[in-house]
Amino acid sequence: MWKQTAEFIMDDICHCGRSTTKRHLGDLNPERRYVACEKFKISLYGGQVRSWKTERGEELLFTSSKAIFMPPVAVRGGIAICFPKFGEQVSAELHGFVRNRMWVIDENPAPLQSTDSSTGNVFIDLVYKSTDDDLWFWHHRFELRLRVILNVDGFLTLISRRNVDSKPFSFSFAYHTYLSVSDISEVRVEGLENLDYLDSLLHRERFTDQGDAITFESEVDRVYVSTSDTVVVIDHGKKRTFVIKKEGLPDVVVWNPWEKKSKTIIDFGNDEYKHMLCVDAAAIENPITLKPGEEWTGRVELSFMSTLLHSLVAL
């Protein structure tokens, strides 16, 4: 069932600033299974962003030292595509099944907005088309297309779109994003204050956040609903601020397993909870319904800046 598929290397495309188009695909090495350049790396297994780096080579995404890189297990880390469910069992798949399927490079991608393919940006288009085997997990046929863009400022953008053939379906979706942080005790999340959230530690019971920001002293697993389009993650230890902007994704998942839960996760180190935080742009509370032939687009842009610069901008 699992086939060895080519990995692709974008040789210095990021370095020289050329756009990645079909014309450049002939330059790619067909001996591997990921797309990579100096600043980011995308695995065809799961259509997953596996690495995103600063100009200085600092890794911005967390990947567990105990991550399993063998199908059918999803790789714990990076940015995983969760579809058609999130946090619910679809047969054996807790966060859907496309994150542990082999994707392919989309050589005939649909056009996107000009701002998403502007000159100087590096981008790659991937596609996953459902198979007969997938019907055992979910009884619908679909196509899921992903464009990953790295712009000249190092900002990372992911855009997903899907369309169906003959019957409607409803789905949940998330960009399951593992951010690398200095120490979770030094991190705060802003932009979700006074909003309702579903607490996954209490069977998704609904509460209202009462703080001026989210800080971490124990396990957190929440789905914030009807959020604004921008969320900020401030890492005081690294003096770095992540800015997450999203479209078509009304919810935000915030997750850190803390010490006790970490020890129960086979592909996660006992103390690694200190150095990661998941903040996911998502659509979970109200599943999205598509009619036959209808299309939906979910977009997230990740950027970073020094905390000092963020403070000055906020003034």
Side-chain angles (χ1 to χ4, degrees):
M1 176 178 175
W2 297 100
K3 297 180 180 179
Q4 194 74 8
T5 303
E7 254 180 24
F8 295 88
I9 305 294
M10 286 192 287
D11 297 320
D12 292 330
I13 290 175
C14 200
H15 205 57
C16 69
R18 293 181 297 164
S19 296
T20 305
T21 65
K22 183 179 178 181
R23 179 169 58 86
H24 296 128
L25 293 180
D27 300 331
L28 305 179
N29 182 348
E31 299 298 323
R32 298 178 163 71
R33 282 175 317 187
Y34 60 83
V35 179
C37 69
E38 194 172 89
K39 295 181 185 176
F40 77 119
K41 174 180 176 180
I42 306 155
S43 173
L44 296 187
Y45 180 59
Q48 185 169 355
V49 176
R50 290 276 309 283
S51 177
W52 172 38
K53 294 182 179 180
T54 68
E55 287 280 357
R56 297 180 179 180
E58 297 175 284
E59 181 58 63
L60 297 165
L61 300 177
F62 168 88
T63 298
S64 174
S65 63
K66 293 190 174 183
I68 299 170
F69 300 96
M70 182 71 66
V73 180
V75 176
R76 186 170 296 281
I79 305 174
I81 306 298
C82 297
F83 170 89
K85 299 291 183 182
F86 184 89
E88 299 177 35
Q89 293 292 141
V90 180
S91 294
E93 309 291 350
L94 180 64
H95 290 327
F97 53 82
V98 300
R99 66 188 185 133
N100 54 19
R101 298 291 191 270
M102 293 302 303
W103 294 49
V104 297
I105 290 179
D106 188 356
E107 298 189 25
N108 295 290
L112 294 174
Q113 298 176 15
S114 59
T115 55
D116 294 323
S117 56
S118 56
T119 302
N121 290 349
V122 176
F123 63 90
I124 188 73
D125 290 284
L126 304 181
V127 61
Y128 180 76
K129 298 181 181 182
S130 59
T131 67
D132 291 342
D133 288 338
D134 293 333
L135 295 176
W136 289 96
F137 298 95
W138 200 52
H139 305 307
H140 302 283
R141 293 195 177 275
F142 64 91
E143 290 183 0
L144 181 55
R145 298 180 183 273
L146 175 69
R147 172 168 289 187
V148 183
I149 306 167
L150 184 74
N151 77 6
V152 291
D153 297 317
F155 296 177
L156 191 68
T157 302
L158 293 87
I159 306 166
S160 292
R161 13 168 67 190
R162 78 192 81 267
N163 57 302
V164 299
D165 48 8
S166 60
K167 56 184 178 180
F169 62 65
S170 298
F171 63 91
S172 300
F173 183 93
Y175 289 110
H176 196 27
T177 304
Y178 286 77
L179 300 175
S180 176
V181 300
S182 59
D183 190 295
I184 191 63
S185 64
E186 296 288 330
V187 174
R188 58 191 279 130
V189 179
E190 297 182 354
L192 302 173
E193 306 84 51
N194 303 313
L195 295 179
D196 286 357
Y197 65 87
L198 311 178
D199 195 331
S200 297
L201 301 179
L202 297 171
H203 307 289
R204 289 195 174 175
E205 186 175 348
R206 195 181 194 96
F207 297 92
T208 301
D209 195 290
Q210 301 293 335
D212 60 353
I214 303 171
T215 56
F216 301 88
E217 298 177 345
S218 61
E219 181 180 359
V220 172
D221 192 354
R222 301 174 180 174
V223 180
Y224 284 81
V225 300
S226 302
T227 66
S228 68
D229 291 336
T230 303
V231 178
V232 173
V233 180
I234 301 172
D235 183 348
H236 294 291
K238 290 186 176 180
K239 296 181 174 57
R240 176 184 295 147
T241 296
F242 291 99
V243 180
I244 302 170
K245 297 182 179 181
K246 56 192 179 65
E247 297 175 13
L249 298 160
D251 306 327
V252 172
V253 178
V254 179
W255 179 65
N256 182 284
W258 216 252
E259 184 176 9
K260 183 178 179 180
K261 181 69 171 289
S262 295
K263 293 178 179 178
T264 70
I265 304 174
I266 190 171
D267 57 347
F268 194 80
N270 289 350
D271 294 323
E272 287 186 325
Y273 73 92
K274 297 177 182 178
H275 305 297
M276 55 73 63
L277 176 64
C278 284
V279 182
D280 309 344
I284 296 173
E285 183 188 30
N286 297 310
I288 296 163
T289 299
L290 292 183
K291 299 175 182 178
E294 195 173 13
E295 185 178 276
W296 166 86
T297 299
R299 183 182 192 276
V300 64
E301 178 187 284
L302 305 175
S303 61
F304 62 92
M305 64 183 74
S306 72
T307 298
L308 175 60
L309 179 59
H310 173 255
S311 299
L312 292 173
V313 171
L315 291 176

